[in-house]
Amino acid sequence: MIIKLWVNDKKITDEIDGDAILLDFLRDHGCYSVKRGCETSNCGLCTVLMDSKLVLSCSTLVARADGKHVITLEGLQEEAKEFGGFLADQGAEQCGFCSPGLVISVLTMVKELKNPSDREISEYLSGNLCRCSGYMGQLRAIKRYLNQKGAQKNEIS
Amino acid sequence: MRSVNQPVRKKDAMSLVTGQPVYTQDIAPKDCLVVKILRSPYAHALIKEIKTESAMKLSGIECVLTYKDVPDKRFTLAGQTFPEPSPYDRLILDEKVRFIGDAVAIVAGDNEKTVDKALRRIKVKYDILEPILDFRCAKDNEVLIHPEQNWRSLCNVGADNKRNLCASGEEKHGDVDEIIGGCDWIIEQTYHTKANQQVTMETSRTFTYLDETGKLTCVTSTQIPFHVKRILSNALELPESRIRVIKPRIGGGFGAKQTAVTEVYPAIVTVKTGKPALIVYTRRESFIASSPRHENEIKVRIGADKNGIIKGIDMITLSNTGAYGEHGPTTVGLSGHKSLPLYGKVEAYHFRYDVVYTNVMSAGAYRGYGATQGIFALESAVNELAEKMGMDPVQIREINMVREGAVMPAYYGETLNSCALDRCMAKAKEMIGWDEKYPRINLKNGKVRSVGVSMAMQGSGIANVDTAGVLIKVNAAGLYDMKIGATDMGTGCDTILAQIAAECLHCSVDDITVSGVDTDVSPYDSGSYASSTTYVTGNAVVNTCETLVEKIRDKGARQLGCAIEDVEFDGARVYQVDAKESINLKDLTVAVGSDKELSATELFCSPVSPPPFVVGMAEVEIDKETGKIDLIDYVAVVDCGTVINTNLVRLQTEGGIAQGIGMALYEDITYGESGRNFSNSLMQYKIPTRLDVGRIRVGFESSYEPTGPFGAKSIGEVVINTPAPAIANAVFNGVRVKVRELPITAEKIYNGMKQKNI
């Protein structure tokens, strides 16, 4: 089937199989930040934005993206650098394989949650697994980033 | 210090957080053949017939390989220094399959869909054999997992394939029966730790191709590039000179990639077809056919005098290596060597072990490497001893713990040159508020809050075995290029080693370019495992820098026309101490008429393996009606000697604690009656999310290790060892239920409470 979609604001028209998965499609189109960590929608590594909503690209058919705008971390480089700097200052990226999914989720969370508590942050991001960091360094980075953005007034420990 | 003990950003951090294509699959050529594996549906069987013609006929299929197509020479996939203690018990593909998921055929083709179709077209007839699924019945069973003639064990590890033994042995010091017999308090219990998965976010993956000279080039997500080179040479019967291994960025290791899980498959496809080939393990494959932690059953007998002084320890470990013996003989040793020495007043110990083959997935290396299992058993037994004596479990440790200066008979006779375990205990106690919270506080809502404690140790590399090479040269810009053979797998060793070099060379970390591993280019390093990188490779960096500085001074002195004794190097220039003359490093490097390149390379191998220490304390909340357990707070205080990178050491600690929490509370590889692995996805095998880890708080009490780089010891593994015994202790202190088999689930707590009628 023929589909039309926008990937990082670039219009793409392509012929695809009906069962093609968005994750594979995006990697085939050069979006290597999108990673596969499981086949069961558990890990959050493949998270991208589709019409401004977070979706797991491993369990989204490309056909569903027809006519839509898909954004990956390749399309959010400045924002990724800004928040990523906070992760880097904690050493919380560690192996980095889960970073793209986490970063795009945090960038979206900032828009959706006002002054979130630690618990709300952890709940929002509970679908983003990480095996290296134990999550604490990520939380420190997120809180410092939110503070700088004026989006959280919580005390930073 | 300018660079050491600083929170330096990882050199690769910004490329990782912005999602750059730096991992194995990201950089694989687009025309790679897709490689997949047909796997056995039986736990133990002989292949009677295998038909591949129909699969081969599919357009786009390049090759279908079976046991008939591979060399009949056994090898091990374990990443260890030659001669490997792990037995040579594998073929790339074997006529006999030994667990559900064992490789039966390799298929390579143009695209995934066609390869999947080909896999379905391969018809296999099996002679089904009786499997051994209970590791307690494996030794001397009439069913043999490895009866084959060409099975062999290279080292004297007590292996015997005619008894299903991958290893067995014993060690003793003093007469443990006599010492324990004379004790006032004796505890004897059996503990059971399960197989756990490392769950690296990036599963195992490899691509291979022939370079312009026809050399087999293997780009792979590995901790052990130099060992992979030898493993491929063994497996493919190719000379090592025809193999090159490259390590890009790695999405986590934790020991999973200390075994060459995927490398042989695309490698043999490339050798057979001449074409580039890529294998990417699915999460399912990485759950059913990888290299998890060895399941252990450990019997512990402890004797203490009337004052609580622990006099004797008897430990018997039974370890399940599964279908193949990767890391079997060595992990089991650590269950004793890295638990028993925690108790410094022991007069006699006896440590016996068997490692057995069974028909489940083969085990491998996982952070902690046997120490984790031994420490759960010993620390749990010590907690039971304290309870029997009516003693605070912190107090029994305070009076028994090993101290600086001790000679440790159970730790290869090494002397403990650095130890702040006592300070770790005091700080942990203060951080968690032990005296206020021990043993429990009953809440009004039917729940109870309680605390528990454990100590742990590990090593810093393998003494007299691990070897690290470092090469540093001054480049034309007057800055440094450093080549290392150690593998950064997310741990940040490229950065940490640059910090050590910068400290030695009086320059900025940014002045040092670090190149990761390419076996054609990098100096030899046994690999990043056994908590070796900071200590072993770090020492190699220090030695290399010393040699380099001498060369810089020598060349500077000659340029300045004076003796080497008259000059110093301050990081930017060589200057005469008593005169004004100087020459800067850049000018020195490219000085006209110069005859010596400014570069140095050194190897380092340590005669000792100084142990780091941790004290862990857990606070849990248990619902007395249902047994539901929530982790509220976890405190870990670490002595890893001098901290090299204050950020990364904290992250390593928090991450190791979280993995340990998973092992303590959730993670368990379970098999059905036929040997089918039920834990084959993240739905069945749950790792902690950020909602499950409670609060993890870490502190550091540094000792100074005289043999370490700037006083440093290791950090990577020791941090996973305390959560299981500390949480088990907290459960006991809360509801008086002793959980001796991991994981500590609500069901086990509930059933325990029911039996006790709490």
Side-chain angles (χ1 to χ4, degrees):
Chain A
M1 61 187 285
I2 307 275
I3 58 152
K4 256 187 264 177
L5 73 164
W6 287 261
V7 175
N8 297 323
D9 296 329
K10 188 179 151 201
K11 191 173 172 184
I12 297 178
T13 306
D14 206 349
E15 182 164 8
I16 57 150
D17 290 337
D19 61 356
I21 300 293
L22 183 59
L23 191 164
D24 301 318
F25 180 88
L26 290 169
R27 286 187 66 90
D28 286 345
H29 286 81
C31 300
Y32 293 110
S33 73
V34 189
K35 307 289 193 226
R36 179 178 268 116
C38 67
E39 302 91 40
T40 47
S41 314
N42 288 103
C43 74
L45 264 58
C46 63
T47 309
V48 299
L49 284 165
M50 189 159 80
D51 280 359
S52 308
K53 290 272 190 305
L54 292 172
V55 297
L56 296 175
S57 63
C58 74
S59 39
T60 303
L61 292 172
V62 188
R64 273 187 58 202
D66 191 21
K68 296 195 166 137
H69 288 260
V70 175
I71 304 283
T72 70
L73 213 56
E74 281 78 3
L76 293 166
Q77 284 292 293
E78 285 312 307
E79 296 87 337
K81 269 181 212 155
E82 187 191 358
F83 167 56
F86 285 87
L87 275 178
D89 283 339
Q90 295 294 327
E93 76 288 349
Q94 286 279 294
C95 85
F97 208 70
C98 75
S99 292
L102 174 73
V103 170
I104 205 165
S105 299
V106 169
L107 296 177
T108 312
M109 180 186 78
V110 176
K111 293 178 185 160
E112 291 182 10
L113 299 186
K114 293 278 169 277
N115 197 24
S117 66
D118 288 4
R119 176 83 191 172
E120 285 166 331
I121 293 170
S122 293
E123 279 175 2
Y124 190 96
L125 299 170
S126 63
N128 293 94
L129 296 181
C130 168
R131 193 62 157 170
C132 294
S133 74
Y135 304 112
M136 296 294 130
Q138 293 182 352
L139 184 62
R140 289 192 291 274
I142 292 164
K143 290 173 74 164
R144 280 172 166 76
Y145 170 67
L146 291 177
N147 250 33
Q148 187 206 252
K149 297 221 89 128
Q152 196 203 37
K153 293 171 193 73
N154 284 357
E155 218 171 277
I156 290 173
S157 59
Chain B
M1 285 184 282
R2 264 186 0 177
S3 301
V4 161
N5 200 238
Q6 300 297 323
V8 177
R9 265 190 192 186
K10 268 171 65 206
K11 282 179 172 287
D12 55 358
M14 291 314 290
S15 81
L16 302 187
V17 297
T18 56
Q20 303 309 307
V22 292
Y23 301 92
T24 302
Q25 193 184 6
D26 302 339
I27 58 173
K30 292 289 154 287
D31 59 348
C32 275
L33 294 173
V34 175
V35 179
K36 287 200 171 192
I37 310 296
L38 181 72
R39 298 188 179 281
S40 167
Y42 300 108
H44 201 191
L46 280 169
I47 297 171
K48 199 159 70 178
E49 185 184 89
I50 182 160
K51 287 187 177 169
T52 59
E53 298 77 13
S54 164
M56 272 307 296
K57 273 183 198 153
L58 280 170
S59 152
I61 290 299
E62 196 69 33
C63 70
V64 179
L65 305 175
T66 72
Y67 71 90
K68 295 167 193 163
D69 305 305
V70 305
D72 185 28
K73 196 182 119 206
R74 293 189 185 268
F75 60 95
T76 178
L77 293 177
Q80 299 182 301
T81 302
F82 183 84
E84 300 98 319
S86 302
Y88 278 21
D89 55 11
R90 285 217 188 230
L91 299 174
I92 299 174
L93 295 168
D94 205 336
E95 192 173 1
K96 182 170 170 168
V97 288
R98 297 179 180 80
F99 68 96
I100 294 182
D102 209 353
V104 171
I106 303 168
V107 178
D110 289 350
N111 64 78
E112 193 172 351
K113 271 190 177 172
T114 311
V115 171
D116 284 338
K117 205 170 177 182
L119 286 169
R120 289 193 296 272
R121 286 198 180 182
I122 300 172
K123 297 297 172 218
V124 191
K125 283 186 186 158
Y126 296 92
D127 268 338
I128 298 164
L129 305 172
E130 191 189 329
I132 301 175
L133 297 170
D134 181 352
F135 73 129
R136 297 172 189 90
C137 310
K139 184 176 161 183
D140 294 327
N141 196 306
E142 60 186 29
V143 174
L144 288 181
I145 315 281
H146 283 282
E148 52 279 359
Q149 290 298 317
N150 61 356
W151 176 98
R152 66 193 177 109
S153 169
L154 279 58
C155 299
N156 183 21
V157 295
D160 185 349
N161 59 327
K162 299 296 188 303
R163 302 181 68 195
N164 288 327
L165 280 176
C166 169
S168 74
E170 70 176 313
E171 290 161 32
K172 59 169 113 180
H173 172 77
D175 186 336
V176 84
D177 289 328
E178 190 189 316
I179 294 285
I180 293 181
C183 281
D184 300 275
W185 299 94
I186 297 169
I187 278 284
E188 188 171 355
Q189 278 303 342
T190 301
Y191 302 89
H192 186 188
T193 62
K194 299 300 191 60
N196 302 131
Q197 289 284 4
Q198 300 88 348
V199 195
T200 55
M201 283 293 118
E202 181 202 40
T203 57
S204 291
R205 52 200 61 194
T206 304
F207 70 85
T208 49
Y209 59 92
L210 300 180
D211 77 0
E212 66 279 6
T213 67
K215 185 181 272 198
L216 176 67
T217 307
C218 172
V219 181
T220 186
S221 181
T222 186
Q223 298 171 228
I224 44 156
F226 286 91
H227 294 331
V228 165
K229 186 169 160 165
R230 186 187 59 251
I231 291 165
L232 288 177
S233 165
N234 284 342
L236 300 164
E237 296 188 306
L238 270 181
E240 277 197 55
S241 60
R242 304 300 300 153
I243 301 168
R244 173 185 185 187
V245 180
I246 297 169
K247 176 216 75 98
R249 303 326 293 174
I250 303 301
F254 317 118
K257 296 166 184 173
Q258 197 196 335
T259 296
V261 172
T262 47
E263 285 83 351
V264 293
Y265 302 121
I268 193 168
V269 167
T270 294
V271 167
K272 296 267 182 193
T273 65
K275 295 189 176 180
L278 166 71
I279 192 164
V280 176
Y281 260 21
T282 61
R283 180 59 63 191
R284 184 184 157 83
E285 282 177 302
S286 79
F287 272 125
I288 66 165
S290 48
S291 61
R293 189 185 294 288
H294 289 77
E295 177 186 25
N296 279 185
E297 186 172 81
I298 303 179
K299 287 187 185 136
V300 184
R301 190 161 57 108
I302 305 180
D305 71 9
K306 60 181 189 305
N307 299 317
I309 302 296
I310 296 172
K311 298 279 196 184
I313 307 176
D314 187 12
M315 180 181 268
I316 305 172
T317 303
L318 176 66
S319 179
N320 183 1
T321 198
Y324 302 95
E326 278 92 16
H327 303 282
T330 35
T331 45
V332 78
L334 269 64
S335 71
H337 300 151
K338 290 177 183 169
S339 61
L340 300 172
L342 283 167
Y343 292 91
K345 292 181 179 167
V346 167
E347 291 168 11
Y349 78 88
H350 194 181
F351 171 45
R352 285 165 277 181
Y353 54 87
D354 284 328
V355 184
V356 293
Y357 284 118
T358 61
N359 291 110
V360 298
M361 161 175 46
S362 56
Y366 183 0
R367 196 180 205 168
Y369 203 81
T372 317
Q373 294 93 310
I375 285 169
F376 173 69
L378 182 61
E379 287 298 277
S380 294
V382 168
N383 284 330
E384 295 201 39
L385 175 69
E387 182 253 332
K388 200 170 179 182
M389 294 184 65
M391 211 181 220
D392 183 321
V394 166
Q395 195 199 345
I396 200 166
R397 289 179 170 81
E398 285 169 341
I399 62 174
N400 282 293
M401 67 171 60
V402 69
R403 306 268 169 170
E404 203 162 276
V407 176
M408 302 173 286
Y411 196 72
Y412 326 107
E414 285 187 21
T415 303
L416 186 54
N417 288 321
S418 60
C419 176
L421 192 51
D422 49 348
R423 282 188 275 136
C424 292
M425 185 64 79
K427 185 163 182 173
K429 221 175 139 177
E430 184 194 315
M431 279 173 75
I432 206 155
W434 180 270
D435 289 337
E436 299 80 58
K437 290 173 180 170
Y438 173 77
R440 80 191 73 82
I441 297 166
N442 282 301
L443 306 179
K444 284 177 184 149
N445 56 5
K447 293 181 179 178
V448 61
R449 278 202 181 188
S450 52
V451 287
V453 62
S454 165
M455 310 191 294
M457 63 182 286
Q458 198 79 35
S460 300
I462 309 170
N464 299 310
V465 174
D466 283 347
T467 304
V470 170
L471 167 67
I472 305 178
K473 72 168 184 153
V474 185
N475 62 32
L479 303 174
Y480 302 94
D481 295 332
M482 179 162 81
K483 291 189 166 46
I484 58 170
T487 52
D488 192 333
M489 56 189 131
T491 46
C493 78
D494 289 0
T495 308
I496 290 162
L497 295 169
Q499 286 178 254
I500 293 173
E503 194 68 47
C504 296
L505 297 166
H506 317 290
C507 66
S508 140
V509 176
D510 292 337
D511 293 346
I512 297 174
T513 302
V514 183
S515 305
V517 191
D518 174 339
T519 56
D520 269 10
V521 179
S522 312
Y524 175 78
D525 191 300
S526 41
S528 287
Y529 56 85
S531 296
S532 62
T533 313
T534 303
Y535 181 78
V536 181
T537 315
N539 269 324
V541 170
V542 171
N543 292 351
T544 307
C545 289
E546 279 174 8
T547 306
L548 184 61
V549 167
E550 281 307 290
K551 287 188 174 182
I552 292 170
R553 286 178 60 223
D554 177 58
K555 190 169 176 181
R558 285 190 292 118
Q559 286 291 322
L560 295 171
C562 60
I564 187 169
E565 295 77 28
D566 298 332
V567 298
E568 288 297 339
F569 174 59
D570 67 3
R573 61 194 183 110
V574 177
Y575 63 95
Q576 281 177 285
V577 182
D578 297 327
K580 284 187 177 162
E581 292 297 307
S582 72
I583 180 164
N584 73 40
L585 188 56
K586 187 179 170 187
D587 294 339
L588 188 59
T589 313
V590 294
V592 175
S594 74
D595 55 353
K596 286 198 177 154
E597 199 202 19
L598 289 175
S599 72
T601 183
E602 297 289 344
L603 277 179
F604 180 80
C605 178
S606 175
V608 293
S609 174
F613 294 95
V614 177
V615 171
M617 290 189 180
E619 182 177 4
V620 303
E621 187 174 290
I622 300 169
D623 187 323
K624 288 203 277 188
E625 209 167 321
T626 63
K628 180 171 183 289
I629 175 169
D630 288 308
L631 184 65
I632 303 300
D633 194 11
Y634 200 95
V635 164
V637 183
V638 181
D639 165 23
C640 58
T642 302
V643 168
I644 303 291
N645 186 314
T646 50
N647 269 349
L648 298 181
V649 83
R650 189 176 183 189
L651 261 288
Q652 282 283 308
T653 307
E654 291 167 344
I657 298 292
Q659 263 185 328
I661 290 168
M663 179 185 179
L665 294 177
Y666 313 109
E667 299 179 30
D668 188 5
I669 301 177
T670 54
Y671 291 92
E673 278 176 19
S674 65
R676 186 166 303 282
N677 183 341
F678 292 145
S679 313
N680 59 12
S681 79
L682 283 168
M683 307 277 259
Q684 279 85 17
Y685 188 94
K686 291 192 184 289
I687 64 169
T689 73
R690 63 193 79 225
L691 292 169
D692 299 316
V693 294
R695 187 165 63 140
I696 300 170
R697 295 184 291 147
V698 303
F700 295 88
E701 282 294 331
S702 293
S703 61
Y704 184 89
E705 172 52 45
T707 66
F710 297 98
K713 299 188 279 188
S714 83
I715 183 69
E717 293 181 279
V718 68
V719 290
I720 200 171
N721 294 337
T722 61
I727 291 171
N729 184 225
V731 168
F732 174 75
N733 291 332
V735 294
R736 313 292 291 175
V737 173
K738 291 169 185 161
V739 182
R740 300 190 182 103
E741 180 190 74
L742 296 176
I744 304 160
T745 60
E747 289 93 324
K748 287 177 191 166
I749 297 171
Y750 173 81
N751 288 331
M753 288 191 299
K754 217 167 130 188
Q755 277 165 20
K756 285 183 181 284
N757 251 335
I758 292 172

